[in-house]
Amino acid sequence: GFRIEPGEVEAVLAAHPAVARAVVLARPAAGGGKRLLGWVVPEPGAPAEPDLLAYLAARLPAHMVPDAVTVLGELPLTANGKVDRRALPDPEIEAGAGEPPATPSEELLAELWSELLGVPAVARDDEFFELGGHSLLATRLVSRLRDAAGVDLPLRAVFDSPSLEALGRALDAARGEADEPVVPVTGDGPRPLSFAQQRLWFLDRLEPGDTAYNMPAALHLRGELEAGLLARVFAEIVRRHEVLRTRFTEGSALAEGPVQLVEPPAAVPLPVIDLRRLGQDAAAKARRLAVAEAGRPFDLEHGPVLRTALLRLAPAEHLLLLDLHHIVSDGWSMGVLMGEVAALYGAFAEGRRSPLPELSVQYADYARWQRRRLPPERIEAELEVWRRRLAGAPELLELPTDRPRPGLRSHRGSSVPVRLGRATSAALEALAGRLGATPFMVLSAAFAALLGRAAGQREVVVGSPVAGRPRRELEPLVGFFVNTLPLRVELGGGPSFAELVVRQRAVALEAFAHAEIPFERLVEELAPRRLAGVTPLYQVVFALQNAPGGELELPGLVLEPWAPPSRSAKFDLTLSLSRGEDGFAGSLELDLDLFDRTTVRRLAHGFELLLAGAVATPERPVAELSVMAAAERHQVLVEWRGTETSYPRQAALPELFARAVARAPASPALAAPGKGGETGSYGALASESRRLARRLVAAGVRRGDRVAVLLDREPRLVAVLLGILEAGAAYVPLDPAYPAERLRLLLDDCSATVLVTAGGLAGDLLAGATSGLPTVLDLDTEAAAVAALDDAPLGLSLDPLDLAYVLYTSGSTGRPKGVAVPHRAVTRLVLEARWAELSAAETFLLLAPVSFDASTLEIWGALLHGAKLVLYPERVPTLGGLSAVLREQAVSVLWLTAGLFHLVVDEALDALAGVRQVLAG
């Protein structure tokens, strides 16, 4: 497997004869992620320093070999004599140990790699991702190259040519003109919105007061804090970033569409709320205030778009609340904002001026640049790529929800934690390295696999945000740059997890290469079918937060990020992860209109289990990776198995019907309103069905044959069904409302030996047919002959697994399919049922066509219990007719389709007053 435990590496290192003591740790890498580092103290008098990395490489898998091993005279110790792990010096990664850069392109790349990855030197055979690079740093590298060399190198080139030498060749081969730089726009007045801002503005106009796009954040501050200095800090930040003092409104006749108006710099209100008098209750009150503040809507037309508040919990303890509207911020921006808060507060506290350089451009400059950069012809070329990529993609991820999807979403949300742990996270990163992928690609592949399993789909579409800052001058800005890409993941073909990651790598790289087309234009141009309560293109999002964050260090203060509980949800599910000291962790946000927290907590746990199994055995098929813990599996397979009932498994339907007849032969069996009322007892029905059985045998019907039935709902229909089973055959009900062409198709498919009909219903079916039809038994012409037959039982020995009937599907997905149902399946449904009270005291209504599976419950639920069965007289029910039959016949058990149930409840609820049990499906 690929699970990394530093202790295992430490033990191998300590076994070297020249090593007295060894320590191995996983520490954060400069560019994000982790690197494995070692420190050793040599044995006294040991020979010259050995090549410990070569020693480890000969004994350990490649992913467990540290990036560097540092030799120390002694290990730093704490006062208790233990190794002071924090004091271990952070060695430089052994980059640059090989051949130095040999071309101008390689030299430029080496300089940029050093800056981005925090390494002092880079050799020609060094690889970007092995030195700590990831997809976000690759994006920044491409941006730096555009600025420094005027070359628009595609992001995919960094993945396809990860070594310095190979990427240098790609850079030499790249041709293209430099993008027009982002330049400041002079003058005041209205300015256009970016594409992303425009979409949020329209959403705000559609649902004023919606808080789904609030971006709340909080900092827990311990130490001496000067509120006045903090207010000054935010005033300076708002001065620097025009977007934080911007209003959004309708454009004038000279400016089509919405525009943004920048207000002059001004002080930022920082209300201080003193909660010290609450003592131990202050923290709970602060949490409630934070949640309330996060749920307060923004007024985009009048502003402000940034709100701050300071909660004083104790003399040296505060909670700083921030809330921005997404129209002016994104995840990267929050890191920029926090970094500037720390830098400015530290400078102001020491009496210094702002140490931050003035911004060369503002967000409104970017919005204007973006619109010039994407003229119609370029947008069309980009759209063509996405049309091809998304052609035939599923419109909806059919996850099993706890509630039906509402037509109008409330955006009420919650979240559950997700933690992968150190071992799984380290193995994940090692697997990514082996496959030439990034942790994002591995994580998103696992999430897609989980969603596909849960939804039962062979492909899924997952949205994923990208930073959207293609130029270096945009990196220090606060603003809404992020773009979200629909990643279509194909799960078919039974891939192993490693194969799925390779697929996801290709999908992600293609998406990254065409990431500049705004999602808003993608939706507008592709025009997906709008479904009520469904976000277009994707309903689930995965985000890996590896944007640079500001240093949270202030003089005399200890800062800890504090996340207010999520109370809104933009999508059905949003998985957000980031890499910390203990591995990848984050949260799975859920839409409370659809899911319960317990459901999503189980889904999150399934993700953790699937990923742990995937990185341990990446060659294993995805479909075989477990998403259930051992306790859950035991619960499902063992504890929940108590569903056995004592129904008569060894009896066929004619025998069970005969028992009902024997218990009460004089009880009424059938009622046919409008067709003679009461039509006889159970004894009479049994006699008629046995005579029909003898007639069928005489017509050539044998055990196992299929007999087609084309009759309306009338007493003879029930007798015919019983007679067919008594003769050992199976019935195939045909709906008289079906066209003759469909009826012929069903007759041909089931190979019926006899067709039982009456009343001229088979006229169209038989018209013009010269061959290929079964023997026709017309009950009208055969009535006298049947009545003269013996009504004694035939005495056939039937097996409960013999075929009882065949029902055909609608054929809406192709050719109709015949579903073959044995006797035992019917018995299991209606005898010893736990879901309803079925007995001889009930009155059932045969409302469904006999060709519809609901008729099984209605007919056999009555006949096997000795209950009365009422035959609905009309071929197509009406509310008036149904109400009359329910009242007049005192129906006590009623089955309705979901649509008819709603109609009855809405329009004729009084009709159900006498019905004791209503079943809907």
Side-chain angles (χ1 to χ4, degrees):
F2 299 97
R3 197 177 303 276
I4 299 177
E5 291 292 345
E8 298 176 16
V9 184
E10 199 171 276
V12 176
L13 190 56
H16 191 285
V19 174
R21 295 193 67 181
V23 176
V24 176
L25 297 175
R27 279 190 171 176
K34 293 282 188 177
R35 56 176 179 169
L36 202 62
L37 302 174
W39 297 263
V40 299
V41 175
E43 288 282 2
E49 181 177 318
D51 187 347
L52 296 175
L53 290 177
Y55 168 81
L56 292 173
R59 290 162 176 79
L60 292 171
H63 63 273
M64 295 181 70
V65 177
D67 293 317
V69 176
T70 302
V71 178
L72 302 175
E74 59 183 12
L75 295 175
L77 303 178
T78 65
N80 297 326
K82 296 182 178 180
V83 176
D84 187 350
R85 294 174 179 260
R86 293 186 177 182
L88 288 167
D90 201 356
E92 299 296 344
I93 293 180
E94 287 293 329
E99 184 180 345
T103 69
S105 291
E106 291 178 11
E107 291 172 355
L108 173 60
L109 286 169
E111 179 183 343
L112 297 177
W113 286 23
S114 295
E115 175 191 346
L116 290 171
L117 302 175
V119 294
V122 181
R124 300 187 75 199
D125 59 350
D126 284 337
E127 297 203 355
F128 185 77
F129 297 102
E130 288 187 357
L131 297 183
H134 49 66
S135 56
L136 182 58
L137 287 175
T139 302
R140 297 176 71 185
L141 174 64
V142 169
S143 174
R144 298 288 198 277
L145 283 172
R146 187 181 296 118
D147 292 341
V151 173
D152 195 6
L153 194 70
L155 180 65
R156 186 180 190 113
V158 184
F159 287 86
D160 291 341
S161 306
S163 73
L164 187 77
E165 180 183 6
L167 192 58
R169 288 196 300 269
L171 182 57
D172 287 334
R175 294 293 183 265
E177 298 180 358
D179 279 332
E180 177 186 355
V182 183
V183 296
V185 178
T186 58
D188 299 326
R191 302 178 185 181
L193 275 59
S194 69
F195 292 120
Q197 283 183 321
Q198 186 167 309
R199 177 168 180 261
L200 289 196
W201 184 84
F202 279 124
L203 290 176
D204 184 74
R205 296 299 295 268
L206 284 173
E207 298 183 50
D210 183 24
T211 61
Y213 290 93
N214 285 20
M215 294 189 67
L219 279 177
H220 195 185
L221 310 171
R222 298 180 185 274
E224 296 300 325
L225 176 71
E226 294 186 47
L229 279 185
L230 201 54
R232 184 182 164 195
V233 164
F234 281 109
E236 171 61 11
I237 289 174
V238 171
R239 182 199 68 79
R240 288 170 49 77
H241 297 277
E242 291 180 355
V243 74
L244 297 179
R245 44 188 166 93
T246 298
R247 297 188 297 110
F248 301 85
T249 186
E250 291 275 11
S252 64
L254 299 177
E256 296 182 2
V259 296
Q260 48 187 320
L261 300 171
V262 178
E263 296 294 315
V268 177
L270 180 64
V272 179
I273 303 173
D274 197 337
L275 303 178
R276 290 177 295 180
R277 58 183 177 80
L278 298 178
Q280 293 182 347
D281 296 331
K285 177 65 173 178
R287 180 174 290 272
R288 290 194 295 271
L289 288 174
V291 170
E293 180 63 19
R296 191 156 61 93
F298 283 95
D299 182 346
L300 299 185
E301 185 167 4
H302 299 97
V305 289
L306 164 67
R307 293 194 297 256
T308 64
L310 189 63
L311 310 183
R312 185 167 288 156
L313 309 179
E317 183 180 3
H318 297 77
L319 191 65
L320 173 63
L321 304 183
L322 304 175
D323 200 2
L324 297 94
H325 195 280
H326 204 354
I327 202 169
V328 299
S329 184
D330 55 20
W332 181 307
S333 298
M334 298 303 282
V336 171
L337 192 64
M338 293 300 182
E340 292 197 356
V341 168
L344 291 170
Y345 187 91
F348 293 167
E350 296 172 359
R352 295 184 287 111
R353 299 178 62 182
S354 168
L356 301 175
E358 287 298 314
L359 300 170
S360 61
V361 294
Q362 294 288 336
Y363 184 84
D365 303 327
Y366 157 76
R368 188 184 299 273
W369 172 83
Q370 182 194 44
R371 290 180 176 273
R372 287 200 307 268
R373 174 181 169 80
L374 294 173
E377 60 274 13
R378 182 167 180 177
I379 287 180
E380 179 57 33
E382 293 289 294
L383 284 172
E384 186 55 36
V385 174
W386 286 103
R387 288 191 191 101
R388 172 179 53 80
R389 179 62 192 147
L390 297 176
E395 296 177 321
L396 180 64
L397 182 62
E398 297 275 8
L399 291 172
T401 60
D402 295 302
R403 283 168 290 282
R405 185 179 296 276
L408 183 63
R409 301 177 61 194
S410 71
H411 294 295
R412 294 182 308 111
S414 185
S415 63
V416 299
V418 178
R419 297 184 183 88
L420 300 184
R422 292 184 178 182
T424 297
S425 299
L428 182 157
E429 290 168 331
L431 176 62
R434 279 190 57 202
L435 299 176
T438 63
F440 167 83
M441 296 167 184
V442 178
L443 289 163
S444 57
F447 190 43
L450 177 76
L451 296 173
R453 291 267 290 272
Q457 294 181 201
R458 294 172 61 87
E459 59 180 7
V460 300
V461 180
V462 180
S464 189
V466 293
R469 298 177 188 243
R471 295 196 63 89
R472 187 172 186 176
E473 59 264 35
L474 303 176
E475 293 180 9
L477 294 184
V478 171
F480 183 20
F481 295 91
V482 69
N483 191 21
T484 306
L485 305 177
L487 304 182
R488 182 181 183 179
V489 187
E490 298 179 1
L491 304 167
S496 69
F497 184 73
E499 291 168 340
L500 183 61
V501 171
V502 172
R503 289 185 190 180
Q504 183 69 344
R505 179 185 185 274
V507 168
L509 289 178
E510 184 179 30
F512 294 159
H514 301 279
E516 288 188 284
I517 185 73
F519 174 74
E520 298 71 33
R521 294 301 301 271
L522 204 56
V523 173
E524 177 185 342
E525 297 293 338
L526 297 183
R529 185 165 59 102
R530 293 289 184 165
L531 304 174
V534 176
T535 54
L537 300 186
Y538 56 81
Q539 298 80 49
V540 173
V541 168
F542 170 69
L544 180 59
Q545 305 291 351
N546 52 15
E551 290 294 329
L552 299 181
E553 294 183 3
L554 277 72
L557 288 170
V558 176
L559 282 71
E560 297 174 353
W562 184 86
S566 175
R567 290 293 184 268
S568 66
K570 304 177 190 67
F571 303 97
D572 296 0
L573 295 170
T574 300
L575 175 60
S576 299
L577 298 175
S578 60
R579 184 63 156 98
E581 286 290 331
D582 295 323
F584 289 96
S587 64
L588 184 56
E589 182 183 87
L590 60 133
D591 186 335
L592 288 173
D593 287 343
L594 301 176
F595 299 102
D596 293 331
R597 280 176 53 86
T598 51
T599 299
V600 177
R601 189 179 294 114
R602 187 165 57 248
L603 196 66
H605 189 47
F607 174 70
E608 296 166 357
L609 292 170
L610 183 147
L611 195 50
V615 298
T617 55
E619 69 284 353
R620 190 175 182 184
V622 172
E624 295 180 7
L625 295 172
S626 177
V627 296
M628 299 180 71
E632 286 180 300
R633 183 177 295 278
H634 182 270
Q635 184 181 47
V636 171
L637 297 182
V638 179
E639 297 176 24
W640 288 354
R641 286 189 61 195
T643 59
E644 295 86 356
T645 60
S646 58
Y647 73 96
R649 296 169 179 266
Q650 302 307 319
L653 295 178
E655 179 184 346
L656 295 170
F657 174 69
R659 295 178 190 176
V661 173
R663 288 194 296 268
S667 294
L670 303 175
K675 296 185 180 180
E678 299 291 344
T679 59
S681 65
Y682 265 82
L685 178 60
S687 294
E688 183 179 1
S689 66
R690 290 166 185 164
R691 286 193 289 267
L692 282 166
R694 291 185 180 278
R695 179 66 188 89
L696 290 168
V697 171
V701 172
R702 298 292 181 263
R703 180 177 174 180
D705 286 351
R706 271 81 69 199
V707 176
V709 180
L710 184 61
L711 293 169
D712 276 321
R713 269 186 302 257
E714 56 171 302
R716 287 185 297 183
L717 168 65
V718 179
V720 166
L721 301 184
L722 281 164
I724 292 171
L725 297 179
E726 178 81 14
Y731 61 86
V732 183
L734 305 179
D735 193 327
Y738 286 166
E741 182 180 1
R742 176 181 169 90
L743 296 180
R744 290 194 192 101
L745 185 152
L746 303 188
L747 280 175
D748 178 67
D749 187 73
C750 73
S751 302
T753 55
V754 171
L755 168 64
V756 180
T757 187
L761 293 177
D764 291 341
L765 176 61
L766 301 176
T770 58
S771 62
L773 291 176
T775 301
V776 177
L777 183 63
D778 190 316
L779 296 182
D780 293 334
T781 59
E782 294 278 345
V786 171
L789 295 173
D790 187 359
D791 67 351
L794 269 66
L796 294 177
S797 177
L798 301 179
D799 191 287
L801 295 183
D802 283 350
L803 193 61
Y805 63 81
V806 177
L807 293 187
Y808 277 86
T809 63
S810 66
S812 59
T813 59
R815 184 181 176 90
K817 303 171 187 66
V819 181
V821 180
H823 290 247
R824 181 180 287 174
V826 180
T827 308
R828 174 66 181 84
L829 174 69
V830 300
L831 293 183
E832 303 295 336
R834 297 180 178 180
W835 41 267
E837 294 181 10
L838 308 181
S839 70
E842 307 296 342
T843 298
F844 291 73
L845 179 65
L846 176 55
L847 179 64
V850 72
S851 60
F852 181 44
D853 58 0
S855 64
T856 300
L857 165 65
E858 296 168 334
I859 295 172
W860 300 107
L863 298 185
L864 298 191
H865 287 94
K868 184 168 74 171
L869 178 63
V870 177
L871 309 180
Y872 188 79
E874 302 168 318
R875 187 176 288 178
V876 179
T878 63
L879 285 179
L882 179 60
S883 299
V885 169
L886 293 178
R887 286 193 298 269
E888 295 167 7
Q889 297 295 324
V891 172
S892 62
V893 178
L894 176 65
W895 193 97
L896 298 172
T897 62
L900 185 55
F901 171 79
H902 285 292
L903 186 62
V904 171
V905 170
D906 291 341
E907 305 292 340
L909 182 59
D910 290 346
L912 301 179
V915 181
R916 197 170 69 85
Q917 298 181 89
V918 179
L919 311 173

